[in-house]
Amino acid sequence: MSARFAADVFGYTAMKKILLSYVQPVMVLAVLLFWAFAPAAWTKSPWSIVAATLLATALIQALEWVNERHSSWRLTKREFFTDAFYVALSYTVIAWLTAKLADEPLTAVKQSLGITTGWALHMPFVVQVALVVFLVEFGQYWMHRLMHNQSFFWSTHAPHHHLTQLNAMKGAVGNPLELFLISLSVVALFDLQQTAVFCAINILTVISSFAHANTRFDPPRWYGFFFTTIRNHSLHHSTGYEQTRCNYGNSLILLDRIFGTYSDGEAELVGQDERRRLSIPEQFLFPARPLIDRLKGQQSRADTEVAA
Ligand SMILES: [Zn+2]
Ligand SMILES: [Zn+2]
């Protein structure tokens, strides 16, 4: 190979690496610009957020075929249909439960107590978006940390850690009770522009989808300082239980840096309990397992007594 050709190859590889590293930050920026400047006719409808987040998820899922991280995580039909089922569940049942059991009661309390946060409504758009991102992530961080430190809460979250591979939609996969608990936030207590809330949700979807995606678009260091990436989130999905007790930030890894739970590293081998993949019924029933085991024990004792 001539020296000039080698330099070209090196230059091309380095350039490609730089371009790929900007895929994630550019997508976050594009989402921010869309919600800031798109016509109100597009952004005012509640369906706009459904369409925008589904589109972002589909795009990131498609990017797994452009530049995959591990061939061992390649999406199979079974994984795809399980993931799609949970995405559908999140957009319907879980979203409805969160609205009815958390956000609407919180809004009612806010109104009955006469709480107003007009100052929030008058902040610049970007600051409102940042506030929502922070509020959602702050709640998720502590809920997630609780789930790794208390046995009942862990039993709701463990199915997410039984995943044996990571893909763009895997952030939505888990026991329904966990999905509900992790969706709780105090955003409803604040008066904010609807589009700022939608923008923040869309940004969080992009970051957390990339943090679960089988893609190799390793972002610049500054991005990984603030936001969760597949590198650090895959470490959170490690096979050992103790190894999972770090990097709790779903999208804002900065919180782990602040609260001392950040750990650098990466894992390809993921999944708890000797990497046993759970079926959807097993994921749904997981927290009830101690109860089911006890009932089964009583039944088998009763059978033994009858036989005797
Ligand atoms: Zn976890
Ligand atoms: Zn995860």
Side-chain angles (χ1 to χ4, degrees):
M1 196 194 300
S2 74
R4 188 158 162 228
F5 181 64
D8 280 347
V9 169
F10 176 75
Y12 172 74
T13 312
M15 179 68 88
K16 190 176 162 197
K17 210 173 158 200
I18 292 168
L19 282 175
L20 293 182
S21 77
Y22 278 93
V23 167
Q24 289 185 65
V26 165
M27 209 159 145
V28 171
L29 185 66
V31 168
L32 182 69
L33 293 176
F34 169 77
W35 290 99
F37 298 110
W42 291 11
T43 56
K44 285 282 179 269
S45 156
W47 289 105
S48 63
I49 184 62
V50 176
T53 47
L54 280 177
L55 195 69
T57 308
L59 181 61
I60 298 165
Q61 182 63 73
L63 288 175
E64 290 194 1
W65 282 280
V66 175
N67 196 22
E68 85 180 350
R69 193 167 198 86
H70 303 298
S71 57
S72 61
W73 292 359
R74 202 170 290 162
L75 201 62
T76 60
K77 260 191 201 149
R78 183 173 71 161
E79 292 291 332
F80 172 79
F81 285 113
T82 305
D83 297 358
F85 166 79
Y86 278 101
V87 169
L89 187 77
S90 297
Y91 279 79
T92 52
V93 180
I94 305 294
W96 185 83
L97 285 174
T98 308
K100 294 293 163 195
L101 300 179
D103 293 343
E104 287 176 18
L106 210 56
T107 308
V109 169
K110 175 179 177 283
Q111 280 165 356
S112 68
L113 294 177
I115 302 169
T116 51
T117 60
W119 53 268
L121 195 58
H122 294 107
M123 293 190 307
F125 180 79
V126 179
V127 182
Q128 292 189 42
V129 174
L131 176 66
V132 177
V133 166
F134 176 77
L135 290 174
V136 170
E137 283 297 303
F138 189 80
Q140 286 203 344
Y141 172 86
W142 287 105
M143 180 60 81
H144 191 186
R145 196 164 159 176
L146 173 69
M147 286 171 170
H148 280 260
N149 285 283
Q150 200 281 335
S151 58
F152 175 73
F153 283 89
W154 169 249
S155 74
T156 70
H157 183 50
H160 183 66
H161 280 272
H162 272 257
L163 296 172
T164 53
Q165 64 178 83
L166 297 176
N167 301 100
M169 295 188 282
K170 287 283 194 292
V173 179
N175 177 269
L177 185 54
E178 182 229 354
L179 301 177
F180 170 73
L181 290 171
I182 215 87
S183 74
L184 299 176
S185 86
V186 293
V187 172
L189 287 178
F190 292 81
D191 299 288
L192 294 157
Q193 284 178 41
Q194 180 82 86
T195 46
V197 177
F198 285 170
C199 179
I201 293 169
N202 202 353
I203 285 175
L204 290 171
T205 305
V206 169
I207 299 171
S208 62
S209 297
F210 268 119
H212 281 97
N214 181 22
T215 56
R216 194 173 288 283
F217 296 105
D218 298 329
R221 288 237 321 249
W222 62 263
Y223 179 96
F225 183 82
F226 293 99
F227 304 121
T228 309
T229 60
I230 183 65
R231 176 178 163 76
N232 294 147
H233 195 68
S234 64
L235 189 66
H236 179 78
H237 276 269
S238 297
T239 50
Y241 172 69
E242 283 306 319
Q243 289 165 285
T244 68
R245 299 173 83 187
C246 64
N247 302 347
Y248 297 116
N250 202 34
S251 297
L252 212 56
I253 200 94
L254 182 68
L255 294 173
D256 286 281
R257 294 181 191 277
I258 292 170
F259 296 116
T261 47
Y262 174 74
S263 183
D264 190 34
E266 170 156 16
E268 179 180 351
L269 217 56
V270 296
Q272 291 292 296
D273 198 9
E274 284 161 3
R275 307 188 64 237
R276 194 169 72 79
R277 186 188 187 276
L278 301 182
S279 64
I280 293 174
E282 283 178 315
Q283 286 165 334
F284 270 58
L285 291 173
F286 201 88
R289 270 199 338 183
L291 190 67
I292 294 168
D293 290 346
R294 209 160 62 207
L295 291 174
K296 273 186 185 162
Q298 279 173 3
Q299 186 60 45
S300 68
R301 266 200 304 279
D303 291 348
T304 318
E305 278 163 22
V306 169

